[in-house]
Amino acid sequence: MSCHSSTTWLPRSRRSPGEGRSLLASLLASTPAGESYRDSGLLIVSELVTNALVHGTPPGHRIYLSLDLDPARLRIEVHDARRNREPVLRALTLDGEAGRGLHLVKSLSTRTGCSPREHTGKIVWSEVTA
């Protein structure tokens, strides 16, 4: 991790995406080049935390959010408790009400991925470069 990082545990709550955005906004505001990551970073945090909330966090578990910023990139990691439910890009349709979030994340990110977490669950991550 760089010297500009922040982590938190988020509850399994519909307020968690907003809490994640607030944490990122604070981190970016405290960093000279942070503003260049604001729009894409806020959207990515919203989408990844929402996906963890809806698809990856069973009752009684929390979501871990890790943010790391250096002059060349922003890395966002969202840890959840379900290892067997990796994110899946759905085919887009004009009348679909869901399934666009990961497409947005992918289009805004330089790199994305998913890896198993040490004891349980997975880490879904995204990197955005300046």
Side-chain angles (χ1 to χ4, degrees):
M1 286 208 161
S2 72
C3 62
H4 300 288
S5 62
S6 191
T7 63
T8 191
W9 284 99
L10 298 167
R12 187 177 184 269
S13 163
R14 65 181 194 203
R15 293 185 308 272
S16 290
E19 291 176 28
R21 287 190 304 272
S22 294
L23 183 68
L24 177 61
S26 295
L27 176 67
L28 296 177
S30 69
T31 308
E35 190 62 30
S36 62
Y37 298 103
R38 183 174 174 79
D39 293 339
S40 55
L42 291 173
L43 189 131
I44 291 167
V45 165
S46 282
E47 292 299 332
L48 294 184
V49 171
T50 298
N51 281 351
L53 177 65
V54 173
H55 304 290
T57 307
H61 289 81
R62 295 182 296 164
I63 300 162
Y64 184 75
L65 174 62
S66 173
L67 306 169
D68 188 59
L69 178 65
D70 65 37
R73 61 113 184 101
L74 167 65
R75 181 177 175 94
I76 299 164
E77 291 185 2
V78 177
H79 302 221
D80 67 45
R82 286 205 173 123
R83 182 172 288 185
N84 63 338
R85 294 188 78 175
E86 289 192 20
V88 175
L89 282 172
R90 296 183 191 172
L92 294 176
T93 62
L94 293 176
D95 59 346
E97 294 182 15
R100 288 174 173 70
L102 286 177
H103 287 279
L104 290 171
V105 169
K106 188 172 182 175
S107 70
L108 293 170
S109 302
T110 306
R111 297 179 342 139
T112 62
C114 180
S115 56
R117 217 165 118 209
E118 187 173 326
H119 295 291
T120 185
K122 65 184 171 298
I123 304 166
V124 179
W125 56 270
S126 168
E127 289 185 353
V128 179
T129 55

